[in-house]
Amino acid sequence: MTVSVRDVAEHAGVSVGTVSNVLNGKATVRPETVERVLAAVAELGFVRNDAARQLRAGVSRSIGMIVLDAGNPFFTGLARAAEQRALAEGRAVLLANSDEQPEREALYLDLFEQQRVAGLLISPVGDAMDRLHALHGRGTPTVLVDRFSDDPGFSSVSVDDVAGGRMAAAHLLETGRRRIAFVGGPRRLRQVADRLRGARQALRGRTDASLSVLPTRALTVDDGRRAASELLRLPASDRPDAVFAANDLLAIGVLQGVLEERRVPGELAIVGYDDIPFAASMAVPLTSVRQPYARMGERAVELLEREIADPSRADREHVVFEPELVVRASSGVREPPGA
Amino acid sequence: MTVSVRDVAEHAGVSVGTVSNVLNGKATVRPETVERVLAAVAELGFVRNDAARQLRAGVSRSIGMIVLDAGNPFFTGLARAAEQRALAEGRAVLLANSDEQPEREALYLDLFEQQRVAGLLISPVGDAMDRLHALHGRGTPTVLVDRFSDDPGFSSVSVDDVAGGRMAAAHLLETGRRRIAFVGGPRRLRQVADRLRGARQALRGRTDASLSVLPTRALTVDDGRRAASELLRLPASDRPDAVFAANDLLAIGVLQGVLEERRVPGELAIVGYDDIPFAASMAVPLTSVRQPYARMGERAVELLEREIADPSRADREHVVFEPELVVRASSGVREPPGA
DNA sequence: CGACTGCGATGAATCGTTTCATCGATCGCA
DNA sequence: TGCGATCGATGAAACGATTCATCGCAGTCG
């Protein structure tokens, strides 16, 4: 049924070892022999069996990447940059989506470890550190993405989410808002917890302002809509005058839900997080905290390559990027012309 | 270094065959033996080597999926639905992004074939049919996605893009537009060619209306912006009064580029394609042609499973979904309340 | 002329799992 | 008691590519 190196060898009148050498570009084969082998490969339609190769070689040439939400442009941008960088290194990136569910994350971790991927990039759901340690200890190079690792065992690439949260809340305070609602969840996601923490820091010591928390099940547009309808059901006296959403998808959902009944930004200012490409062109352009996702993806692959090349534990590195506040109309500030 | 079944067998005091039987849930093992083996597995931290398993079994349990643009919410939605459906079947989906580039597509086709994936879902870039035939002939079950196959060799799941294009253009004509510009490319993408063809059909026989074509390099927001600046550079007499964009990303780009200088929809109506979740909440909510991506993804996996189960060539099937026009403000029609 | 060198090519051993023919023990039944 | 059937368990063979010790041969040198 399947064509193997043995068939190719026979057809070309050489040994299997020679076929393998040709396939792998070893220098010790005479040009005319190379040609004969390649002709046989083409004629028989031979396709290398990667399982057999890997079995012998020990590891694959792919790296696995597990993101929290493949539907979020932030993560697809991150993945795209990582893929680009990895292809330059001759590696493919296999993308998996944990969907913020620990079970799905576990499933893909198993899959990737069984496949003996060369390395792993992951935005952990939150309680996966034990599993990751185990996997890491068994020899899978791992880099945490969008997650600062206090753990010296892992390299990581992250953005200072506490600072980002602080910037968002400070901006709202500066522009006169006093009743801020944080919309986001689940709390086990570090990103969510940190952004909330940052917002709390900005409020610290301010007796004239308050921060309430409206938890969501996930970070999606739908959850944002649901949050909006909850906000609208509140009696006017309890209603916030600003929303800080844990990411742009939520912010967009809130915007959609609130837009018909309430004036944004007049009565309700909105700030999101991630500055996804769509944020700028919303019905009310969204103020957001920008993360340099392209550089993050590249840097993550670079750290991973370094660990793959030398798994000695000496040189773990934690790269922390600074977020940047991008002010647009949704927070009630005139959009600067040309922005 | 690595722990193998042999080590587990030794540690549990059984044979390798028994370990394998336990691992695969074969019924012929005594419960207490099962327990002993599982204990050894846990204690030694054994992780099955998928390469070896596949080598023996012949094919993997994953299916490969190659999409044109992982940054497009339409494709991520499609992939997500496919993944959901495949997980129910006990299979993982490995997602790859051809980025509309034939070379990247070829690279991932090679990768997936070498990995002997159980099946393949693909939105081909356009000129890949020869390669696909070869791969298919060598035994990889394949289903074309978002691409009607005139080719009886492949099952396919698609939307009638010609009808979609017709609907979009007809809508613009009905609402009084006469100078329509089609923005999209590259033409080798069947989706682009078909939507344009549909638009042409709607214009057929109309001497009072015209359709010009503004080609783009790809289907991205950036290309849409570029197209917008080209449109704005035209002398007023040549300027179109409507744009039909080949997908929503382009349409959003056009909207962004045009918004400051020109009134949408007054002077320029815009219709997009895909109805991605962000379309409804744009600065000017986007009229678009909706595709049922979730059902498409599910159906594609179902067709693929059928072909995996029985690769006999009798029952290729071509599922064609009907698109649906969703009218919003960007085409100059009042958005119905509550929509 | 014989020993030596280096180039090309060889093919058996190897990776870790699954499969399957086989075996020993236990049990039921005549 | 003896025979076959059943249940659990065994372990060698097989999957297909890569590796590496080895070999034949031609050319070179002393």
Side-chain angles (χ1 to χ4, degrees):
Chain A
M1 182 64 203
T2 351
V3 182
S4 78
V5 276
R6 188 154 287 110
D7 302 315
V8 173
E10 198 173 327
H11 196 265
V14 297
S15 72
V16 291
T18 300
V19 173
S20 176
N21 285 335
V22 170
L23 257 35
N24 297 310
K26 292 284 168 59
T28 65
V29 189
R30 215 168 34 183
E32 66 184 66
T33 310
V34 170
E35 207 167 325
R36 214 146 31 102
V37 171
L38 292 181
V41 166
E43 201 164 330
L44 298 177
F46 167 77
V47 176
R48 212 207 237 102
N49 185 324
D50 203 48
R53 167 209 269 265
Q54 265 184 230
L55 176 56
R56 193 72 242 266
V59 300
S60 94
R61 289 160 309 145
S62 305
I63 73 183
M65 180 166 189
I66 304 180
V67 298
L68 289 171
D69 178 9
N72 184 338
F74 169 71
F75 284 111
T76 56
L78 200 61
R80 192 198 179 91
E83 184 190 25
Q84 205 72 35
R85 187 70 186 67
L87 279 182
E89 220 77 32
R91 293 186 202 281
V93 172
L94 302 177
L95 186 61
N97 178 19
S98 70
D99 226 2
E100 296 173 13
Q101 297 168 25
E103 317 79 46
R104 294 257 306 243
E105 179 178 77
L107 190 149
Y108 282 114
L109 280 175
D110 279 345
L111 184 74
F112 284 146
E113 189 173 11
Q114 292 185 11
Q115 293 196 352
R116 304 289 195 271
V117 291
L120 181 72
L121 298 177
I122 182 171
S123 297
V125 170
D127 41 9
M129 293 316 286
D130 286 351
R131 288 196 53 101
L132 285 179
H133 270 117
L135 179 143
H136 197 232
R138 278 182 236 110
T140 303
T142 303
V143 171
L144 305 184
V145 179
D146 196 31
R147 162 81 128 112
F148 178 78
S149 165
D150 28 12
D151 192 319
F154 297 100
S155 284
S156 68
V157 173
S158 62
V159 172
D160 187 341
D161 278 331
V162 177
R166 215 160 38 214
M167 291 163 78
H171 169 67
L172 289 170
L173 290 173
E174 278 164 25
T175 53
R177 309 290 166 170
R178 289 296 174 267
R179 308 169 54 78
I180 303 176
F182 176 84
V183 174
R187 286 284 267 287
R188 68 161 178 276
L189 294 180
R190 180 73 77 104
Q191 290 90 332
V192 175
D194 281 0
R195 289 164 200 178
L196 173 56
R197 196 143 55 90
R200 286 227 164 91
Q201 288 180 7
L203 269 283
R204 184 158 304 158
R206 302 281 301 237
T207 54
D208 61 334
S210 70
L211 180 71
S212 61
V213 174
L214 209 168
T216 62
R217 200 186 39 81
L219 299 167
T220 67
V221 175
D222 279 350
D223 285 281
R225 286 193 115 113
R226 246 168 271 144
S229 79
E230 276 195 58
L231 286 177
L232 294 173
R233 250 184 281 125
L234 290 175
S237 59
D238 290 352
R239 250 181 242 153
D241 57 5
V243 163
F244 170 33
N247 78 354
D248 281 349
L249 298 185
L250 280 174
I252 289 171
V254 171
L255 187 63
Q256 287 180 357
V258 162
L259 214 49
E260 290 155 21
E261 320 201 22
R262 189 153 297 270
R263 280 197 59 229
V264 175
E267 297 182 28
L268 187 75
I270 301 181
V271 175
Y273 208 107
D274 286 346
D275 194 31
I276 63 176
F278 301 109
S281 48
M282 286 291 120
V284 179
L286 197 63
T287 294
S288 191
V289 179
R290 176 179 294 168
Q291 312 199 67
Y293 56 84
R295 279 189 295 149
M296 291 170 72
E298 287 170 18
R299 205 76 184 79
V301 172
E302 285 163 17
L303 291 183
L304 188 60
E305 289 290 349
R306 223 178 51 186
E307 187 167 339
I308 292 172
D310 172 24
S312 81
R313 55 196 47 203
D315 58 343
R316 302 284 173 262
E317 190 174 336
H318 304 287
V319 179
V320 179
F321 288 97
E322 283 305 307
E324 176 190 357
L325 183 72
V326 181
V327 176
R328 299 200 185 86
S330 75
S331 59
V333 178
R334 278 251 146 256
E335 193 170 5
Chain B
M1 180 68 202
T2 349
V3 182
S4 78
V5 276
R6 187 154 288 113
D7 302 315
V8 174
E10 197 173 328
H11 197 264
V14 297
S15 72
V16 292
T18 300
V19 174
S20 176
N21 285 334
V22 170
L23 256 36
N24 296 311
K26 291 284 168 58
T28 64
V29 189
R30 214 168 34 183
E32 67 184 66
T33 310
V34 170
E35 207 166 326
R36 210 144 35 100
V37 171
L38 291 181
V41 166
E43 201 164 330
L44 298 176
F46 167 77
V47 176
R48 213 207 236 103
N49 184 325
D50 202 47
R53 167 210 268 265
Q54 266 184 229
L55 178 55
R56 191 72 241 261
V59 299
S60 94
R61 290 159 307 145
S62 305
I63 73 182
M65 181 167 191
I66 304 181
V67 298
L68 290 171
D69 178 10
N72 186 336
F74 169 72
F75 283 112
T76 54
L78 200 61
R80 192 199 179 91
E83 184 191 26
Q84 206 71 34
R85 186 71 185 67
L87 279 182
E89 220 76 32
R91 291 186 203 281
V93 172
L94 302 177
L95 186 61
N97 177 20
S98 69
D99 225 2
E100 297 173 15
Q101 298 169 24
E103 318 78 48
R104 294 251 312 238
E105 179 178 78
L107 189 149
Y108 282 114
L109 281 176
D110 279 345
L111 184 73
F112 283 147
E113 189 174 11
Q114 293 185 11
Q115 292 196 350
R116 303 288 194 273
V117 291
L120 182 70
L121 298 177
I122 181 172
S123 297
V125 169
D127 40 10
M129 294 314 287
D130 286 350
R131 287 196 56 99
L132 285 179
H133 270 117
L135 180 143
H136 197 234
R138 277 183 238 111
T140 304
T142 303
V143 170
L144 304 184
V145 179
D146 196 32
R147 160 83 127 113
F148 178 77
S149 166
D150 27 14
D151 192 318
F154 297 100
S155 284
S156 68
V157 172
S158 61
V159 172
D160 187 342
D161 278 330
V162 177
R166 217 160 38 216
M167 293 163 77
H171 169 67
L172 290 170
L173 290 173
E174 278 164 25
T175 52
R177 309 290 167 171
R178 289 298 173 265
R179 308 169 54 79
I180 303 177
F182 176 85
V183 174
R187 288 281 268 286
R188 65 160 181 275
L189 294 180
R190 180 73 77 103
Q191 290 89 332
V192 174
D194 280 0
R195 289 164 200 179
L196 173 55
R197 197 144 55 91
R200 287 229 164 88
Q201 287 179 9
L203 270 282
R204 185 160 300 160
R206 300 283 299 240
T207 53
D208 61 334
S210 70
L211 180 71
S212 60
V213 174
L214 209 168
T216 62
R217 199 185 42 80
L219 299 166
T220 66
V221 175
D222 279 349
D223 285 281
R225 287 192 115 114
R226 247 168 271 146
S229 78
E230 277 194 57
L231 286 177
L232 294 174
R233 252 185 279 124
L234 291 176
S237 58
D238 290 351
R239 250 179 242 151
D241 58 4
V243 163
F244 170 32
N247 79 353
D248 281 350
L249 299 185
L250 280 174
I252 289 171
V254 172
L255 187 63
Q256 287 181 356
V258 163
L259 214 49
E260 291 156 20
E261 320 201 22
R262 193 153 294 274
R263 280 198 55 230
V264 175
E267 296 181 30
L268 187 76
I270 301 181
V271 175
Y273 207 106
D274 287 347
D275 195 30
I276 63 175
F278 301 107
S281 47
M282 286 292 119
V284 180
L286 198 63
T287 295
S288 191
V289 180
R290 177 180 295 169
Q291 311 198 70
Y293 58 82
R295 279 189 296 149
M296 292 171 71
E298 287 171 18
R299 204 77 183 78
V301 172
E302 285 162 16
L303 292 183
L304 188 60
E305 289 290 349
R306 225 179 49 188
E307 187 168 339
I308 292 172
D310 172 23
S312 81
R313 55 196 47 205
D315 58 342
R316 302 286 173 261
E317 189 173 339
H318 304 287
V319 179
V320 180
F321 289 97
E322 283 305 308
E324 176 192 356
L325 183 72
V326 181
V327 177
R328 298 200 184 86
S330 75
S331 59
V333 178
R334 278 253 146 254
E335 193 170 4

